[in-house]
Structures are given as structure tokens and as C-alpha cells.
Amino acid sequence: MRSLTRTARSAIVLALAAVTVGGGVSAGQAAAAPELRNYVKTIRCSTADPFPGPRIATRVEVWNNVRFPSDGLPGPAIELVASSPRPQSLLPNMATYTMETTVTWRNVTTGKRGVVRVPTRARLVTWQAVLHPGHGRVNFTIKQKIGAMAFVPMVNPQYSTCRGSAPA
């Protein structure tokens, strides 16, 4: 084995270890990982900017069948992940937006209801909410309150509401 390069020796050792442990993968066989969540759709939820400028085009991605939700509670769940493409910053590396997001949801199949509140501060409009509605069709309403962070939070707050639904 002295004549082989270090890379070739490493490859041989890894191959032998895979065969010994029983984890060998034959040609054409893929080691596919199960999906940890399922993309449903994107909802557009624009809001007036508390700073002078055009409206903030916020996109809310809707995911269902989330096996490991970010809130640490057992899945499956629905996650709403919001983001805007343009940051605003008066001072670099400082939070310039304060957001208070409320998601009210109702499982129309079971009648179960809930409310999730998400306070956030960031250089761009971004937040994430996790819903635990059980199985069935879920309708939700997103209410955003977005203000400027100008030495105090929530200066010149702007409001928006948008709606969506997803299977749970």
C-alpha cells in the first residue's frame, strides 16, 4: 500500500469499512433521505414600508408535513416562512425593522383553532411561524405589523393582512 497515494488509501479504507459494516451501496442505488417537509405554495403579502420608499414585497412560503418543526414540538406541523428580498439599513449591522406577526388558524376538518404570535427584529422583513393544527384542511390569516427601529421599536407602524390555506 506504500505505492498508493494518500487519497487512494483513504478511498480503499472507506470502501472496506462500508462493506464490513454492511452499508455498501451498489452502483445505481441511491441513498435517498426522506423528505423532512413538503412545499405547498408561496403567498405574497406586501406591506407599506415604515421608511420612505416602495412597498415591502414579503413572500410567505407555506410548508406542511414538517417532521421536525423549528419550535421543538413534535410534528407534523405547518410552517410559514416569510422573507423580503430587499434589506433596509440606516446603520450597518443594526436591526432596522420591528415586526409583530399574528397568525390565526382554523382546521376546517376538525374545527380546532389556534393563534401564533411572532415578535421579530431584523434588517429585513423576515419571520417564521409554526402551526400545530392536526390533520385536515387549515385556513389561516396573517396579520403583520411592521415598524421602523429608530432608537425605539415600532416607529411609524404599517399593517397588512393576507390569507391562505394548506392541507395538514
Side-chain angles (χ1 to χ4, degrees), residues 49-135:
D49 196 330
F51 293 107
R55 293 182 69 81
I56 301 170
T58 306
R59 295 183 304 264
V60 181
E61 292 183 352
V62 180
W63 301 84
N64 69 359
N65 298 327
V66 180
R67 292 176 61 192
F68 303 105
S70 61
D71 64 0
L73 296 174
I78 295 175
E79 281 188 339
L80 307 175
V81 182
S83 62
S84 67
R86 70 177 169 91
Q88 287 284 339
S89 182
L90 296 175
L91 301 170
N93 301 320
M94 292 190 68
T96 58
Y97 286 111
T98 303
M99 294 146 279
E100 293 176 8
T101 306
T102 302
V103 180
T104 306
W105 58 267
R106 180 176 180 264
N107 185 326
V108 295
T109 306
T110 65
K112 187 176 178 181
R113 298 172 181 265
V115 176
V116 176
R117 290 180 179 83
V118 184
T120 313
R121 280 191 191 157
R123 289 181 47 207
L124 52 90
V125 174
T126 182
W127 52 264
Q128 181 172 351
V130 180
L131 316 179
H132 291 276
H135 294 286

Side-chain angles (χ1 to χ4, degrees), residues 133-156:
H135 294 286
R137 185 95 187 143
V138 179
N139 293 339
F140 52 85
T141 302
I142 301 166
K143 292 184 178 182
Q144 297 182 105
K145 178 181 175 185
I146 300 172
M149 179 70 181
F151 303 107
V152 294
M154 208 52 77
V155 174
N156 191 24

Side-chain angles (χ1 to χ4, degrees), residues 11-79:
I12 291 171
V13 169
L14 287 174
L16 288 172
V19 170
T20 303
V21 173
V25 177
S26 63
Q29 181 184 14
E35 289 296 319
L36 300 178
R37 62 185 186 171
N38 178 52
Y39 172 76
V40 178
K41 62 184 161 188
T42 299
I43 300 170
R44 302 211 182 271
C45 197
S46 69
T47 306
D49 196 330
F51 293 107
R55 293 182 69 81
I56 301 170
T58 306
R59 295 183 304 264
V60 181
E61 292 183 352
V62 180
W63 301 84
N64 69 359
N65 298 327
V66 180
R67 292 176 61 192
F68 303 105
S70 61
D71 64 0
L73 296 174
I78 295 175
E79 281 188 339

